[in-house]
Amino acid sequence: MQSISLKKILLKREILSLLRGLVTQLSSPIVIQDQEGKVLVADLGMDTATISNANTSESSENLAINEDLNKIPVMLSDEILGWVMGKEQVEQVADFLSYIVNREFEQKTLAADALDKYREINLLYTISSKLSTCLDVKEIGTLVIEEASRLIPCTSASVMLHSYQTNCLEIVSAKGPAEDINSFQVSANVGIAGHVYATGRAELVNDATKDPRYVINENDCYAIICAPILTKDRAIGVVNISNSEPVSYTSQDLKLFTAIVTQASGAIENALLHESKLREQRIKNNLERYLSPQVAEAVINEKEEVSLTTSKRRIAMLFSDIRNFTTKCEELEPEQLVTYLNEYFTQMVDVIFNHQGTVNKFVGDMIVAMFGAPSAIADREYWAIKAAINMQKRIKNLPIDWIRENFITGIGISSGDVIVGNIGSPQHMDYTAIGDEMNSASRLQGLAKGGQILVTRSVYEATQSNFEFREFGTLPVKGKKKLVEVFEVIYSNP
């Protein structure tokens, strides 16, 4: 309750003037005392002449006290702030003073409430400003704990987020003894924290050890406040603040703590979304090292029919290999050779990806690419030849003279039905293709001279209206009884 002093009220000139105007001239004065009996006013109701006739104010006081007087309390609600004593109009004066002190109390209460509101708004604004630049969940948790413990006495605090993998609440930030149990976790439906998470409602529990939901751990506490971290549609965790000493948290503490956690909930959600975006970007970057950007995007977003399961599929296959690579290796130091190879592969993969292809694997200096897996594409043979032509042209335009002069490649392309999917052992699997057409493409690549692009009849028939060809001849391929017809792609490569 706000402190109200009767003495301070009577020191206000306007109040005393009102009191003197309230009472008529009395035969004996009205005396006003404080709660402890100390005289505050001894001459109320006496005119100036009467007062001057008294030897001292003390004699007036003694006169008033010694006579048979009425004594009425000045009340603030149920509390006695003082007394009004006299023979006449005592009750009237007491009622007036009671009205004045109650009005003063209301004004002070309103002022205090307004100040509390201002402090709360200022606090939330300050926290909001700090959180707005934070995108790390642990850092946000630490900030929430610091602000809450600065305003509410505690010996321990923690921020716990729900893990879908374990269905537990796990500590991400902590203060006090909880810092030593960062591995601590509790099932999402166990304990006070679990109950708050499940219901989405904040709770204040004093003498927590007597609560049947209390979970005994290394972080013993007497009183606890727990508030949920709420997003738009669900709870994602809880924030706890506790004290191992026998304190009693108040509803005002609960209100303030809940306001802080509510302010932090949006920041924590944004930080989690940011982490998810970063994780998704890392996955996408890794996928794009093996798949074209379009295919990687399709795998992530599932906007297209993408399947990594083993299945029979019609695709185009491209094999590219550097002629006389072993001989060229002897001309360079190993480190320099690796540098040139990395530059060569970077440029070739870029061309393949830009033509909707997927890099299947590197075998030494050989590149194996697929068009039509894992995501089906139209005109797969067209894109395979287009990629092959641009791979040959890209080599001739590289800024490194040695690569332009020595990395002369032959390319073979085939198309048809093959088995594609994850193939290997449980310890290691590769997404690859198996079938006769793969053998055909490999055979053509081995046959092609530097700068040549050789294709099978299936590729020729699918693209003869798009490119210029010349008949190259026939050749036997392992696994095929008939000879394979071969065509050379005619292109300009200045």
Side-chain angles (χ1 to χ4, degrees), residues 290 360-362 421-432:
Y290 304 97
N360 177 222
K361 56 189 170 184
F362 301 112
N422 287 315
I423 299 172
S425 71
Q427 289 79 20
H428 178 77
M429 304 190 84
D430 283 325
Y431 183 78
T432 189

Side-chain angles (χ1 to χ4, degrees), residues 84-118:
V84 178
M85 302 170 61
K87 292 184 176 182
E88 305 168 73
Q89 295 184 275
V90 175
E91 189 172 349
Q92 185 178 3
V93 173
D95 288 344
F96 176 77
L97 284 176
S98 294
Y99 166 78
I100 293 297
V101 297
N102 278 278
R103 190 184 69 171
E104 185 80 5
F105 173 77
E106 290 174 1
Q107 290 176 344
K108 291 189 70 172
T109 301
L110 287 173
D113 288 344
L115 182 60
D116 286 342
K117 289 287 184 184
Y118 170 78

Side-chain angles (χ1 to χ4, degrees), residues 54-124:
N55 292 328
T56 61
S57 60
E58 183 178 355
S59 63
S60 297
E61 176 183 336
N62 292 334
L63 176 65
I65 295 175
N66 291 331
E67 294 180 8
D68 185 17
L69 305 176
N70 295 321
K71 186 176 182 181
I72 306 296
V74 178
M75 304 294 295
L76 173 60
S77 187
D78 295 328
E79 180 185 1
I80 297 175
L81 294 187
W83 304 89
V84 178
M85 302 170 61
K87 292 184 176 182
E88 305 168 73
Q89 295 184 275
V90 175
E91 189 172 349
Q92 185 178 3
V93 173
D95 288 344
F96 176 77
L97 284 176
S98 294
Y99 166 78
I100 293 297
V101 297
N102 278 278
R103 190 184 69 171
E104 185 80 5
F105 173 77
E106 290 174 1
Q107 290 176 344
K108 291 189 70 172
T109 301
L110 287 173
D113 288 344
L115 182 60
D116 286 342
K117 289 287 184 184
Y118 170 78
R119 287 173 176 167
E120 185 176 316
I121 291 171
N122 189 55
L123 166 68
L124 296 180

Side-chain angles (χ1 to χ4, degrees), residues 123 126-127 130-131 134 137-159 173-176 179 239-241 256-257 260-261 264:
L123 166 68
T126 302
I127 293 175
K130 292 179 180 178
L131 292 175
C134 233
V137 174
K138 188 171 183 178
E139 187 178 345
I140 293 171
T142 301
L143 177 60
V144 171
I145 289 172
E146 287 177 354
E147 293 297 331
S149 58
R150 184 169 60 86
L151 298 167
I152 303 171
C154 70
T155 56
S156 184
S158 65
V159 175
S173 297
K175 172 193 173 181
E179 290 181 277
V239 183
N240 300 288
I241 190 167
L256 183 60
F257 184 70
I260 294 172
V261 176

Side-chain angles (χ1 to χ4, degrees), residues 452-455 460 467-473 486-491:
Q452 272 190 324
I453 301 171
L454 302 181
V455 303
Y460 163 75
F467 303 100
E468 185 180 349
F469 297 89
R470 74 160 60 98
E471 292 187 11
F472 187 82
V486 182
F487 298 83
E488 180 182 359
V489 180
I490 307 302
Y491 68 98

Side-chain angles (χ1 to χ4, degrees), residues 12 42 45 64 93 119 197 293 352 438 474:
K12 294 180 180 180
V93 173
R119 287 173 176 167
Y197 169 78
I352 292 169
M438 294 291 288
T474 58

Side-chain angles (χ1 to χ4, degrees), residues 254-428:
L254 176 63
K255 178 183 176 183
L256 183 60
F257 184 70
T258 303
I260 294 172
V261 176
T262 299
Q263 192 73 18
S265 294
I268 292 174
E269 182 181 21
N270 288 337
L272 291 174
L273 288 173
H274 179 68
E275 287 183 2
S276 178
K277 286 289 184 183
L278 291 179
R279 186 164 53 251
E280 182 179 305
Q281 188 61 48
R282 285 195 295 270
I283 293 171
K284 182 179 179 182
N285 291 341
N286 287 330
L287 281 174
E288 287 180 349
R289 296 173 63 189
Y290 304 97
L291 309 174
S292 69
Q294 299 93 327
V295 175
E297 193 71 30
V299 170
I300 292 170
N301 297 326
E302 298 181 358
K303 293 179 179 177
E304 301 177 20
E305 184 181 349
V306 179
S307 176
L308 301 182
T309 58
T310 304
S311 62
K312 190 174 184 179
R313 184 172 293 199
R314 190 170 185 83
I315 66 171
M317 293 130 295
L318 181 152
F319 281 66
S320 174
D321 192 60
I322 301 173
R323 308 291 78 149
N324 302 317
F325 180 73
T326 303
T327 302
K328 301 299 180 183
C329 288
E330 298 174 356
E331 300 177 11
L332 298 173
E333 294 295 325
E335 294 82 2
Q336 187 63 62
L337 179 63
V338 170
T339 299
Y340 286 163
L341 265 179
N342 285 339
E343 176 63 24
Y344 165 76
F345 283 139
T346 298
Q347 298 293 332
M348 296 303 98
V349 168
D350 183 61
V351 173
I352 292 169
F353 283 177
N354 287 335
H355 291 77
Q356 302 188 50
T358 299
V359 175
N360 177 222
K361 56 189 170 184
F362 301 112
V363 182
D365 61 303
M366 183 173 67
I367 301 171
V368 180
M370 301 183 294
F371 296 79
S375 181
I377 60 172
D379 305 322
R380 49 193 168 272
E381 291 86 359
Y382 168 84
W383 288 110
I385 293 180
K386 194 73 174 175
I389 293 173
N390 282 289
M391 287 168 71
Q392 297 287 20
K393 291 182 177 181
R394 179 72 69 90
I395 293 171
K396 294 303 180 182
N397 290 305
L398 289 177
I400 301 174
D401 294 340
W402 197 92
I403 295 179
R404 290 200 310 270
E405 295 168 2
N406 294 278
F407 281 13
I408 311 301
T409 62
I411 297 176
I413 302 174
S414 178
S415 69
D417 293 331
V418 295
I419 302 300
V420 295
N422 287 315
I423 299 172
S425 71
Q427 289 79 20
H428 178 77

